[in-house]
Amino acid sequence: MIFTVVLVLIGALVLVVIGINIIQQQKERVEADRRTEFNRQKAILDETEAVLANSAMLPCSTQIIIILHQRIKDALESALSSTKPPVSNQLEKRLIDVNSMLEQLKKSNGQAPPIENFRLPDNDKQILLLVQSLKKLKAILRNENSKGKINPEVFTQEEKRIDSLQLRINVDAMLNRARSACAIKQYGSAKQLVTKAISTLNALKQHNPSDPFVLKKVDEAKLLLEELTGAQETDQPTATRNEKPEDDLDMLFQPKKKW
Protein backbone atom coordinates (compact mmCIF):
# COMPACT_ATOMS: atom_id res chain seq x y z
CA MET A 1 0.00 0.00 0.00
CA ILE A 2 2.74 2.41 0.97
CA PHE A 3 4.67 1.46 -2.15
CA THR A 4 1.64 2.27 -4.31
CA VAL A 5 1.22 5.64 -2.64
CA VAL A 6 4.90 6.41 -3.21
CA LEU A 7 4.58 5.50 -6.89
CA VAL A 8 1.49 7.70 -7.22
CA LEU A 9 3.29 10.60 -5.56
CA ILE A 10 6.34 10.14 -7.79
CA GLY A 11 4.08 10.02 -10.86
CA ALA A 12 2.25 13.15 -9.71
CA LEU A 13 5.57 14.89 -9.10
CA VAL A 14 6.79 13.93 -12.58
CA LEU A 15 3.57 15.29 -14.08
CA VAL A 16 3.97 18.52 -12.13
CA VAL A 17 7.56 18.89 -13.32
CA ILE A 18 6.50 18.18 -16.92
CA GLY A 19 3.68 20.70 -16.58
CA ILE A 20 6.02 23.35 -15.18
CA ASN A 21 8.46 22.71 -18.04
CA ILE A 22 5.68 23.04 -20.61
CA ILE A 23 4.48 26.29 -19.05
CA GLN A 24 8.05 27.60 -18.89
CA GLN A 25 8.69 26.70 -22.53
CA GLN A 26 5.44 28.36 -23.52
CA LYS A 27 6.45 31.53 -21.66
CA GLU A 28 9.87 31.50 -23.32
CA ARG A 29 8.24 31.02 -26.73
CA VAL A 30 5.85 33.90 -26.11
CA GLU A 31 8.72 36.09 -24.94
CA ALA A 32 10.81 35.17 -27.99
CA ASP A 33 7.88 35.96 -30.30
CA ARG A 34 7.39 39.26 -28.49
CA ARG A 35 11.05 40.19 -28.93
CA THR A 36 10.98 39.16 -32.59
CA GLU A 37 7.89 41.26 -33.25
CA PHE A 38 9.35 44.23 -31.39
CA ASN A 39 12.61 44.01 -33.38
CA ARG A 40 10.63 43.77 -36.62
CA GLN A 41 8.61 46.88 -35.80
CA LYS A 42 11.76 48.70 -34.67
CA ALA A 43 13.38 47.93 -38.04
CA ILE A 44 10.31 49.36 -39.79
CA LEU A 45 10.51 52.46 -37.60
CA ASP A 46 14.22 53.00 -38.22
CA GLU A 47 13.86 52.54 -41.99
CA THR A 48 10.83 54.83 -42.29
CA GLU A 49 12.33 57.57 -40.13
CA ALA A 50 15.56 57.48 -42.15
CA VAL A 51 13.63 57.84 -45.42
CA LEU A 52 11.52 60.62 -43.87
CA ALA A 53 14.66 62.50 -42.80
CA ASN A 54 16.17 62.24 -46.30
CA SER A 55 12.89 63.31 -47.93
CA ALA A 56 13.83 66.90 -47.04
CA MET A 57 16.28 66.80 -49.96
CA LEU A 58 13.55 65.67 -52.38
CA PRO A 59 10.47 67.43 -53.79
CA CYS A 60 8.09 65.14 -51.86
CA SER A 61 4.35 65.79 -51.77
CA THR A 62 2.30 66.06 -48.58
CA GLN A 63 0.66 62.75 -49.46
CA ILE A 64 3.92 60.80 -49.36
CA ILE A 65 4.87 62.45 -46.04
CA ILE A 66 1.48 61.40 -44.62
CA ILE A 67 2.07 57.83 -45.84
CA LEU A 68 5.45 57.73 -44.08
CA HIS A 69 4.05 59.14 -40.81
CA GLN A 70 1.13 56.69 -40.95
CA ARG A 71 3.59 53.83 -41.35
CA ILE A 72 5.49 55.07 -38.30
CA LYS A 73 2.24 55.27 -36.35
CA ASP A 74 1.27 51.69 -37.27
CA ALA A 75 4.72 50.41 -36.30
CA LEU A 76 4.58 52.23 -32.94
CA GLU A 77 1.15 50.77 -32.15
CA SER A 78 2.33 47.25 -33.00
CA ALA A 79 5.52 47.72 -30.98
CA LEU A 80 3.50 48.92 -27.97
CA SER A 81 1.59 45.66 -27.86
CA SER A 82 4.83 43.70 -27.67
CA THR A 83 6.79 45.65 -25.07
CA LYS A 84 6.68 46.71 -21.43
CA PRO A 85 7.63 49.79 -19.38
CA PRO A 86 9.85 51.77 -19.49
CA VAL A 87 10.18 51.22 -23.26
CA SER A 88 6.41 51.31 -23.76
CA ASN A 89 6.29 54.73 -22.04
CA GLN A 90 8.75 56.14 -24.56
CA LEU A 91 6.79 54.65 -27.45
CA GLU A 92 3.56 56.18 -26.15
CA LYS A 93 5.13 59.65 -26.13
CA ARG A 94 6.38 59.18 -29.69
CA LEU A 95 2.94 57.97 -30.76
CA ILE A 96 1.33 61.15 -29.37
CA ASP A 97 3.79 63.27 -31.37
CA VAL A 98 3.16 61.30 -34.56
CA ASN A 99 -0.63 61.58 -34.18
CA SER A 100 -0.28 65.31 -33.72
CA MET A 101 1.88 65.60 -36.84
CA LEU A 102 -0.57 63.53 -38.86
CA GLU A 103 -3.44 65.81 -37.87
CA GLN A 104 -1.48 68.87 -39.01
CA LEU A 105 -0.49 67.26 -42.31
CA LYS A 106 -4.05 66.18 -43.11
CA LYS A 107 -5.37 69.68 -42.42
CA SER A 108 -2.81 71.32 -44.69
CA ASN A 109 -3.53 71.47 -48.41
CA GLY A 110 0.03 72.06 -49.54
CA GLN A 111 0.74 71.65 -53.24
CA ALA A 112 3.36 69.11 -54.28
CA PRO A 113 6.60 70.94 -55.19
CA PRO A 114 7.31 70.78 -58.95
CA ILE A 115 9.85 68.16 -59.96
CA GLU A 116 11.20 70.53 -62.62
CA ASN A 117 12.77 72.71 -59.88
CA PHE A 118 14.73 69.80 -58.40
CA ARG A 119 18.51 70.18 -58.63
CA LEU A 120 20.97 67.35 -58.17
CA PRO A 121 23.50 67.87 -55.32
CA ASP A 122 27.18 68.31 -56.25
CA ASN A 123 28.30 65.85 -53.59
CA ASP A 124 28.50 62.22 -54.82
CA LYS A 125 27.66 60.89 -51.36
CA GLN A 126 24.47 62.95 -51.26
CA ILE A 127 23.53 61.72 -54.74
CA LEU A 128 24.02 58.12 -53.61
CA LEU A 129 21.94 58.82 -50.50
CA LEU A 130 19.12 60.24 -52.65
CA VAL A 131 19.17 57.21 -54.96
CA GLN A 132 19.00 54.82 -52.00
CA SER A 133 16.24 56.86 -50.33
CA LEU A 134 14.10 56.88 -53.49
CA LYS A 135 14.55 53.13 -53.86
CA LYS A 136 13.41 52.56 -50.26
CA LEU A 137 10.59 55.07 -50.65
CA LYS A 138 9.27 53.22 -53.68
CA ALA A 139 9.44 49.89 -51.82
CA ILE A 140 7.55 51.39 -48.86
CA LEU A 141 4.91 52.86 -51.17
CA ARG A 142 4.31 49.51 -52.86
CA ASN A 143 4.27 47.64 -49.56
CA GLU A 144 1.68 49.97 -48.03
CA ASN A 145 -0.40 49.83 -51.20
CA SER A 146 -0.38 46.01 -51.12
CA LYS A 147 -1.93 46.23 -47.64
CA GLY A 148 -4.71 48.46 -48.97
CA LYS A 149 -3.59 51.47 -46.93
CA ILE A 150 -3.20 53.87 -49.88
CA ASN A 151 -5.78 55.29 -52.24
CA PRO A 152 -5.09 53.77 -55.72
CA GLU A 153 -5.07 57.21 -57.33
CA VAL A 154 -2.56 58.51 -54.79
CA PHE A 155 -0.40 55.41 -55.26
CA THR A 156 -0.29 55.84 -59.05
CA GLN A 157 0.50 59.53 -58.79
CA GLU A 158 3.26 59.12 -56.20
CA GLU A 159 4.88 56.17 -57.97
CA LYS A 160 5.09 58.24 -61.17
CA ARG A 161 6.75 61.08 -59.25
CA ILE A 162 9.33 58.70 -57.78
CA ASP A 163 10.01 57.12 -61.20
CA SER A 164 10.46 60.57 -62.73
CA LEU A 165 12.86 61.64 -59.97
CA GLN A 166 14.90 58.45 -60.31
CA LEU A 167 15.27 58.96 -64.07
CA ARG A 168 16.21 62.62 -63.67
CA ILE A 169 18.87 61.81 -61.09
CA ASN A 170 20.16 59.00 -63.29
CA VAL A 171 20.42 61.23 -66.37
CA ASP A 172 22.06 64.10 -64.48
CA ALA A 173 24.51 61.71 -62.82
CA MET A 174 25.48 60.17 -66.20
CA LEU A 175 26.09 63.58 -67.78
CA ASN A 176 28.16 64.74 -64.80
CA ARG A 177 30.25 61.57 -64.92
CA ALA A 178 30.72 62.06 -68.67
CA ARG A 179 32.08 65.57 -68.09
CA SER A 180 34.46 64.23 -65.43
CA ALA A 181 35.66 61.49 -67.82
CA CYS A 182 36.16 64.08 -70.58
CA ALA A 183 38.25 66.24 -68.25
CA ILE A 184 40.76 63.39 -67.85
CA LYS A 185 40.55 62.54 -71.58
CA GLN A 186 38.66 59.26 -71.16
CA TYR A 187 36.62 60.01 -74.25
CA GLY A 188 35.41 56.46 -74.84
CA SER A 189 33.85 56.17 -71.39
CA ALA A 190 32.42 59.68 -71.66
CA LYS A 191 30.77 58.92 -75.00
CA GLN A 192 29.21 55.73 -73.63
CA LEU A 193 27.70 57.65 -70.71
CA VAL A 194 26.31 60.41 -72.94
CA THR A 195 24.89 57.89 -75.43
CA LYS A 196 23.20 56.02 -72.60
CA ALA A 197 21.79 59.28 -71.23
CA ILE A 198 20.39 60.18 -74.68
CA SER A 199 18.75 56.75 -74.97
CA THR A 200 17.11 57.20 -71.57
CA LEU A 201 15.91 60.68 -72.51
CA ASN A 202 14.50 59.48 -75.84
CA ALA A 203 12.52 56.81 -73.98
CA LEU A 204 11.16 59.50 -71.64
CA LYS A 205 10.36 61.74 -74.60
CA GLN A 206 8.06 59.10 -76.09
CA HIS A 207 5.89 59.14 -72.94
CA ASN A 208 6.00 62.90 -72.43
CA PRO A 209 7.18 64.79 -75.55
CA SER A 210 6.69 68.23 -73.98
CA ASP A 211 8.56 67.61 -70.70
CA PRO A 212 10.85 70.68 -70.29
CA PHE A 213 13.46 68.67 -68.39
CA VAL A 214 13.70 66.05 -71.15
CA LEU A 215 13.93 68.65 -73.94
CA LYS A 216 16.60 70.60 -72.07
CA LYS A 217 18.69 67.54 -71.24
CA VAL A 218 18.47 66.15 -74.80
CA ASP A 219 19.98 69.38 -76.13
CA GLU A 220 22.55 69.39 -73.34
CA ALA A 221 23.56 65.78 -74.03
CA LYS A 222 23.84 66.32 -77.79
CA LEU A 223 26.00 69.41 -77.26
CA LEU A 224 28.23 67.48 -74.85
CA LEU A 225 28.56 64.66 -77.40
CA GLU A 226 29.69 67.16 -80.04
CA GLU A 227 32.23 68.61 -77.61
CA LEU A 228 33.55 65.12 -76.85
CA THR A 229 33.90 64.28 -80.54
CA GLY A 230 35.73 67.55 -81.19
CA ALA A 231 38.07 67.07 -78.23
CA GLN A 232 38.79 63.49 -79.29
CA GLU A 233 39.59 64.52 -82.88
CA THR A 234 41.86 67.30 -81.61
CA ASP A 235 43.92 64.86 -79.53
CA GLN A 236 44.06 62.01 -82.09
CA PRO A 237 45.94 63.61 -85.06
CA THR A 238 49.09 64.15 -82.98
CA ALA A 239 49.25 60.47 -82.16
CA THR A 240 48.49 59.55 -85.77
CA ARG A 241 51.24 61.81 -87.13
CA ASN A 242 53.76 60.32 -84.71
CA GLU A 243 52.87 56.80 -85.71
CA LYS A 244 53.11 57.30 -89.50
CA PRO A 245 56.89 57.88 -89.84
CA GLU A 246 57.58 55.00 -87.52
CA ASP A 247 55.58 52.71 -89.79
CA ASP A 248 57.50 53.92 -92.89
CA LEU A 249 60.88 53.47 -91.18
CA ASP A 250 59.95 49.99 -90.06
CA MET A 251 59.09 49.07 -93.64
CA LEU A 252 62.36 50.58 -94.98
CA PHE A 253 64.58 48.61 -92.64
CA GLN A 254 62.65 45.35 -92.78
CA PRO A 255 64.57 42.38 -94.17
CA LYS A 256 63.93 42.13 -97.91
CA LYS A 257 61.68 39.32 -98.95
CA LYS A 258 63.02 36.75 -101.34
CA TRP A 259 60.76 35.99 -104.23
Side-chain angles (χ1 to χ4, degrees), residues 1-12:
M1 184 65 181
I2 295 174
F3 182 72
T4 303
V5 171
V6 171
L7 287 177
V8 169
L9 290 173
I10 292 173

Side-chain angles (χ1 to χ4, degrees), residues 181-187 227-243:
C182 179
I184 56 176
K185 298 185 178 182
Q186 292 182 352
Y187 300 116
E227 291 175 2
L228 284 169
T229 303
Q232 191 173 24
E233 288 175 353
T234 302
D235 285 352
Q236 275 184 341
T238 303
T240 305
R241 286 194 298 269
N242 289 338
E243 289 173 1

Side-chain angles (χ1 to χ4, degrees), residues 40-52 63-79 94-95 98-99 102 105-106 133 135-147 149-150:
R40 190 175 76 85
Q41 296 303 328
K42 186 177 183 303
I44 292 173
L45 277 170
D46 292 342
E47 179 190 50
T48 311
E49 287 177 342
V51 172
L52 186 61
Q63 289 295 334
I64 200 70
I65 302 300
I66 288 175
I67 290 168
L68 291 173
H69 276 90
Q70 185 63 49
R71 191 173 194 244
I72 290 172
K73 176 186 175 181
D74 294 342
L76 284 170
E77 289 176 344
S78 297
R94 291 177 65 185
L95 186 58
V98 171
N99 281 328
L102 274 170
L105 288 169
K106 289 176 180 178
S133 296
K135 187 177 180 180
K136 290 179 180 178
L137 184 58
K138 191 172 185 178
I140 289 172
L141 188 68
R142 289 182 172 180
N143 184 55
E144 296 301 291
N145 181 64
S146 67
K147 296 176 182 177
K149 295 182 178 181
I150 303 176

Side-chain angles (χ1 to χ4, degrees), residues 19-254:
I20 291 172
N21 285 335
I22 292 172
I23 293 171
Q24 185 64 29
Q25 288 175 4
Q26 181 64 22
K27 285 183 178 180
E28 290 175 356
R29 192 179 299 111
V30 169
E31 182 65 20
D33 292 342
R34 185 188 66 78
R35 284 196 301 269
T36 300
E37 178 61 17
F38 177 78
N39 290 334
R40 190 175 76 85
Q41 296 303 328
K42 186 177 183 303
I44 292 173
L45 277 170
D46 292 342
E47 179 190 50
T48 311
E49 287 177 342
V51 172
L52 186 61
N54 295 331
S55 67
M57 297 185 290
L58 296 165
C60 292
S61 67
T62 304
Q63 289 295 334
I64 200 70
I65 302 300
I66 288 175
I67 290 168
L68 291 173
H69 276 90
Q70 185 63 49
R71 191 173 194 244
I72 290 172
K73 176 186 175 181
D74 294 342
L76 284 170
E77 289 176 344
S78 297
L80 269 171
S81 63
S82 57
T83 191
K84 299 174 182 178
V87 176
S88 61
N89 296 334
Q90 297 173 0
L91 295 179
E92 284 175 356
K93 290 179 182 178
R94 291 177 65 185
L95 186 58
I96 291 170
D97 293 338
V98 171
N99 281 328
S100 176
M101 179 60 70
L102 274 170
E103 287 180 9
Q104 293 177 23
L105 288 169
K106 289 176 180 178
K107 287 178 182 177
S108 67
N109 295 318
Q111 296 293 325
I115 295 176
E116 289 75 19
N117 295 341
F118 173 72
R119 294 291 178 270
L120 195 68
D122 296 328
N123 190 297
D124 288 341
K125 288 184 178 180
Q126 286 186 326
I127 294 173
L128 180 60
L129 187 62
L130 286 180
V131 171
Q132 292 172 340
S133 296
L134 281 171
K135 187 177 180 180
K136 290 179 180 178
L137 184 58
K138 191 172 185 178
I140 289 172
L141 188 68
R142 289 182 172 180
N143 184 55
E144 296 301 291
N145 181 64
S146 67
K147 296 176 182 177
K149 295 182 178 181
I150 303 176
N151 182 292
E153 185 178 346
V154 172
F155 169 74
T156 302
Q157 182 180 350
E158 293 303 326
E159 188 176 46
K160 283 182 179 179
R161 282 179 64 85
I162 293 172
D163 288 340
S164 181
L165 277 169
Q166 285 178 319
L167 288 169
R168 288 164 190 266
I169 290 173
N170 194 24
V171 167
D172 270 335
M174 282 191 286
L175 294 178
N176 288 342
R177 286 168 58 197
R179 291 188 186 94
S180 298
C182 179
I184 56 176
K185 298 185 178 182
Q186 292 182 352
Y187 300 116
S189 299
K191 277 189 172 182
Q192 286 180 357
L193 288 165
V194 176
T195 303
K196 189 176 179 181
I198 291 173
S199 299
T200 303
L201 288 165
N202 286 335
L204 286 172
K205 197 173 181 180
Q206 291 179 354
H207 295 289
N208 193 355
S210 60
D211 189 331
F213 171 84
V214 174
L215 297 175
K216 178 185 175 183
K217 289 299 174 180
V218 166
D219 293 339
E220 187 179 320
K222 287 180 178 178
L223 182 62
L224 180 57
L225 191 59
E226 290 176 4
E227 291 175 2
L228 284 169
T229 303
Q232 191 173 24
E233 288 175 353
T234 302
D235 285 352
Q236 275 184 341
T238 303
T240 305
R241 286 194 298 269
N242 289 338
E243 289 173 1
K244 186 75 176 176
E246 292 177 4
D247 293 340
D248 292 341
L249 287 171
D250 288 342
M251 291 180 66
L252 182 63
F253 290 103
Q254 277 180 357

